Amino acid sequence: MTEKNAPFLETAARWATGLHFHDLPPDVRRAAGAQRLSAIGAAAWTCSLPVGERIHRTVRAEFDTAGEATLLGGGRVAPRAAAYGHAALGMALDFDDTVLGGHTGHSAVFVPLAYAEVAGADWRRAVLAHVAANEVAARVASAAAVGPFRGQQTAYVHALCAAVGRAVVEGDDADTLADAMAIALSQPPWPLDAGFLGSDAKVLTAAEPVLAGLNAVGAAREGLAGNREVVTAEGGFLDSFADYPLPEFLGGLPEREAGDRFGPVEGRWHTRAVTVKAHPGCAYVSAPVEAALDARRELDRRFDGTVPVSHVTVETSLFTTQVDERASRYVRGPDSTLAALNFSVPYNVAVALLDGEHTPRQFADARRGKRDVWELADRVELEHDAEFTTDALRSEVPLGAMLRRVGPLVLPYSAKTVGGGATVANLPTLLRFVRKRPLPTDLSAAEKRLGARVTVHLSDGQSVTAECPHPMGFAGRPLSETRAVARRKCEGALVELAGADAPVRPAVEALRDPDGPVSLEEVAALVSRGTAAAPEVPHR
């Protein structure tokens, strides 16, 4: 088989194992650095809540805890234990990051960090493995995006990221990596809403596939072969996981031009389309939260909290209303699952309005148990705004770039996904996607516009309105802002755990440098200050 006609996994394996640090454009390295800092910050924040201790106990119970890899809040453990634990810690609060194609950071960041630390590998090797994992897994997820799973439920990306991350760090050849990825993708997870939103199982959505990917590398090294055509084969991955497969997204791995031997390689780097969430919760909740916080500031300025709130209206995209509807069946007041609350617009808007902040503190048991937030949440109403839906669909991320390749089939896909009524109501918007558009070749300007408008109606008839068309840290915002969001996330977690007088800034700045050594040691020392003192709260 010629290289041009080789299966994607063979092409991707050759690309990943042949990648060099100088191939990475500076902005791709900076985007990866923001994703890394975001992932570490999310994991650290989880260590401040009881769910963090439950994850640490799980790791101690199920893994060999004798090792040289750092687990935030959990000491030194075996690298697979660190990768598993960090994936769970990062997933718990939905306080993560994305690239075009998925939430890869839980595995793409933490597997290379764990295995590079134990192997004593150069920090550049960990960065290479991180970016390579992003690019390979995101292409597979993009090819399957028009299907039953998107977002965190594309759990299979973590099996791929883990295989790529470990193999690149430890120096496996392309054949071994191709077989490892094929094995990892042969039994992909199929998350169920009832478990994902209705229990604590969502915490392990990335962690369990990480183990599959790590094990696949070991199996391939021992001679077990995978079907390297599993992605596009009949009865293979895309046949099973995509309603409308888009295999064209599998291509476009950045390649050096013939005769060009030095300097960064340009092309479709999915890492460039990085999003870093400024607030915990599903990405579709971010804009309502930011608008609610703006509204709270205006209420304080004009009324100083003296006029009671009658009700709150949230106008937003169809994506957001659908996500909230899915979560609502699992929202049961103070007994709601953490996963359901992360997807609930009424809870997040209410707690942001009441507290004037929106951090993981708003998901602590003590806050979730107070009556005021549930009384206000019951008075938060969602309304669909077609303009916000149009803006979201025009954006490349999370789905627009893929829908542009579907053509007329976008109409039956919409009917299957959101129903016939909603499809008819939004027909003018959907008709814009009937004509196929070119495949993106550069994601430098890719956007992720998931907007919302919040109106707080007061008991005296007055109202305050705030709008957020494009949340902070989302793709399409300045990369400098996205990096600042990641820094604040990580700093906030470490101050919460170690105290305001702790040397937080130097530890974070060291991690933030895209062209410097990467180590979790200083951050882990700060996290341990808080986790050692935090009492365990019995699980309800």
Side-chain angles (χ1 to χ4, degrees):
M1 183 175 293
T2 65
E3 185 170 333
K4 182 178 180 181
N5 297 319
F8 167 71
L9 294 181
E10 287 187 1
T11 301
R14 280 194 297 270
W15 180 83
T17 56
L19 196 63
H20 297 281
F21 189 78
H22 61 256
D23 294 336
L24 307 180
D27 64 324
V28 172
R29 297 200 304 269
R30 288 194 294 272
Q35 185 185 29
R36 179 176 66 240
L37 198 56
S38 168
I40 292 169
W45 264 114
T46 301
C47 293
S48 71
L49 297 177
V51 66
E53 174 54 25
R54 293 172 195 136
I55 291 168
H56 288 138
R57 289 208 313 267
T58 300
V59 171
R60 290 194 292 269
E62 298 299 323
F63 292 91
D64 178 5
T65 54
E68 294 301 320
T70 301
L71 173 61
L72 296 179
R76 297 279 188 174
V77 297
R80 61 192 289 107
Y84 182 95
H86 281 139
L89 289 169
M91 179 68 69
L93 294 169
D94 217 315
F95 199 10
D96 57 0
D97 40 80
T98 66
V99 298
L100 176 62
H103 298 241
T104 54
H106 305 292
S107 47
V109 169
F110 287 119
V111 169
L113 283 178
Y115 280 84
E117 183 177 21
V118 170
D122 183 83
W123 62 270
R124 295 174 186 83
R125 177 60 56 180
V127 174
L128 271 179
H130 168 184
V131 175
N134 269 353
E135 297 301 322
V136 173
R139 279 167 167 75
V140 174
S142 295
V146 186
F149 299 125
R150 290 191 305 278
Q152 290 180 334
Q153 285 187 304
T154 58
Y156 55 82
V157 300
H158 304 294
L160 283 171
C161 285
V164 175
R166 181 182 182 185
V168 171
V169 165
E170 296 188 332
D172 286 293
D173 60 28
D175 281 334
T176 300
L177 177 53
D179 280 325
M181 290 191 291
I183 293 169
L185 208 55
S186 291
Q187 291 90 272
W190 187 278
L192 306 176
D193 262 14
F196 185 81
L197 293 170
S199 76
D200 290 336
K202 176 181 176 287
V203 167
L204 304 179
T205 300
E208 292 294 334
V210 160
L211 293 184
L214 297 177
N215 290 341
V217 174
R221 288 174 181 171
E222 298 305 323
L224 293 182
N227 181 351
R228 298 180 185 183
E229 297 182 355
V230 70
V231 176
T232 55
E234 184 178 353
F237 176 79
L238 288 180
D239 267 6
S240 303
F241 275 72
D243 292 334
Y244 302 100
L246 300 171
E248 58 266 41
F249 273 93
L250 298 173
L253 287 163
E255 297 280 5
R256 190 171 298 284
E257 296 289 338
D260 179 14
R261 298 178 59 189
F262 302 104
V265 178
E266 289 303 327
R268 199 181 81 229
W269 294 96
H270 284 233
T271 304
R272 274 185 169 138
V274 68
T275 286
V276 171
K277 295 178 188 173
H279 304 282
C282 171
Y284 299 110
V285 170
S286 292
V289 165
E290 287 191 25
L293 291 172
D294 285 344
R296 165 61 189 264
R297 285 187 281 272
E298 182 65 10
L299 287 167
D300 288 345
R301 186 185 71 80
R302 289 173 53 185
F303 303 104
D304 197 25
T306 57
V307 183
V309 174
S310 168
H311 63 284
V312 181
T313 303
V314 180
E315 299 164 274
T316 187
S317 73
L318 191 62
F319 293 107
T320 303
T321 60
Q322 290 293 315
V323 160
D324 181 75
E325 183 179 336
R326 281 176 55 206
S328 63
R329 70 195 71 167
Y330 303 104
V331 175
R332 299 170 182 135
D335 294 323
S336 302
T337 64
L338 188 56
L341 292 186
N342 287 154
F343 282 69
S344 169
V345 174
Y347 177 83
N348 285 281
V349 166
V351 78
L353 284 169
L354 289 168
D355 294 359
E357 68 167 25
H358 192 275
T359 75
R361 285 187 287 270
Q362 276 61 54
F363 295 93
D365 288 350
R367 185 64 188 102
R368 292 159 56 187
K370 290 187 177 178
R371 181 180 301 175
D372 63 341
V373 70
W374 295 106
E375 289 178 345
L376 182 55
D378 284 342
R379 290 178 276 132
V380 176
E381 304 163 355
L382 270 67
E383 295 181 1
H384 174 228
D385 184 297
E387 285 302 312
F388 286 128
T389 298
T390 300
D391 285 347
L393 289 170
R394 284 174 177 162
S395 299
E396 289 79 7
V397 189
L399 191 59
M402 286 67 95
L403 284 180
R404 295 170 195 175
R405 299 294 302 161
V406 173
L409 294 175
V410 72
L411 298 177
Y413 170 71
S414 174
K416 176 182 176 180
T417 305
V418 299
T423 297
V424 171
N426 292 280
L427 196 57
T429 299
L430 291 168
L431 286 175
R432 301 180 187 187
F433 290 85
V434 168
R435 182 170 63 86
K436 282 190 177 184
R437 306 296 175 88
L439 188 73
T441 57
D442 180 12
L443 297 173
S444 299
E447 289 191 323
K448 186 176 185 177
R449 288 182 172 269
L450 302 176
R453 183 183 305 110
V454 170
T455 301
V456 181
H457 304 270
L458 303 178
S459 59
D460 64 358
Q462 298 186 81
S463 64
V464 168
T465 297
E467 183 172 325
C468 174
H470 193 181
M472 290 185 296
F474 276 36
R477 302 281 294 211
L479 181 55
S480 58
E481 176 190 274
T482 302
R483 296 181 70 212
V485 169
R487 175 180 56 78
R488 288 194 295 270
K489 179 190 297 190
C490 199
E491 286 181 354
L494 297 180
V495 168
E496 182 77 5
L497 288 159
D501 60 341
V504 166
R505 181 61 65 87
V508 172
E509 286 302 316
L511 287 172
R512 189 169 179 257
D513 183 0
D515 295 318
V518 180
S519 170
L520 290 179
E521 191 171 342
E522 289 184 62
V523 171
L526 294 170
V527 170
S528 67
R529 292 192 189 186
T531 53
E536 163 62 357
V537 178
H539 187 31
R540 288 184 302 204

